[in-house]
Amino acid sequence: AVLHLQKTITESGGKIFATNGKKADFNTTLQKCKEAGGSIAAPRNAGENDAVLYFVKTFNTYAYLGMKEYLIPGNFQFLDGTQLTYTNWYSNEPSGKGEEECVEMYTDGTWNDKRCNQNRLIVCQF
């Protein structure tokens, strides 16, 4: 497949972020990113958050991020189990109290906890 660079790849902090412009649920997003040789985008600072936000704004749709709520409601971690050192929660979020295990990015760059079965923009990092 030809790599289309226009509005589908951006870089921050040595990481490459990419999207195919398609939407999928959380588990499918994980699978698609893995198949591409990367992982789901998981911003660890404001610059990386902005890189993902670029796609969210370009496609005017929300995207899942590479973090989940584990055993303790309201306690979100990266998928490798490490704690979040950077967050950008929307006001009064996370609010799912264990019912919303995934994290999506809004079109303003803030985060919301969300059920994992919604279709959101696929954004991977490499």
Side-chain angles (χ1 to χ4, degrees), residues 31-100:
Q31 181 185 337
K32 293 292 182 191
C33 289
K34 188 175 179 183
E35 285 172 5
S39 57
I40 184 171
R44 293 180 183 258
N45 57 53
E48 293 180 5
N49 202 71
D50 286 347
V52 178
L53 177 59
Y54 171 75
F55 298 128
V56 169
K57 282 185 169 177
T58 298
F59 290 91
N60 194 30
T61 188
Y62 301 167
Y64 280 123
L65 300 177
M67 49 200 77
K68 277 188 91 170
E69 182 178 52
Y70 288 102
L71 304 168
I72 306 158
N75 180 27
F76 286 81
Q77 301 174 337
F78 289 111
L79 300 182
D80 64 5
T82 57
Q83 294 296 323
L84 304 182
T85 52
Y86 165 83
T87 61
N88 195 31
W89 294 109
Y90 187 76
S91 179
N92 299 317
E93 296 294 345
S95 63
K97 300 178 181 66
E99 296 293 312
E100 299 174 324

Side-chain angles (χ1 to χ4, degrees), residues 7-13 15-21 29 33 39-67 78 86 88 103-112 120-126:
K7 297 183 181 173
T8 59
I9 288 188
T10 188
E11 181 271 339
S12 177
K15 290 182 186 169
I16 304 272
F17 294 88
T19 184
N20 59 6
T29 298
C33 289
S39 57
I40 184 171
R44 293 180 183 258
N45 57 53
E48 293 180 5
N49 202 71
D50 286 347
V52 178
L53 177 59
Y54 171 75
F55 298 128
V56 169
K57 282 185 169 177
T58 298
F59 290 91
N60 194 30
T61 188
Y62 301 167
Y64 280 123
L65 300 177
M67 49 200 77
F78 289 111
Y86 165 83
N88 195 31
V103 179
E104 65 183 358
M105 180 184 285
Y106 285 156
T107 51
D108 65 357
T110 59
W111 305 352
N112 172 50
R120 297 289 179 258
L121 185 66
I122 298 170
V123 181
C124 307
Q125 67 183 30
F126 301 89

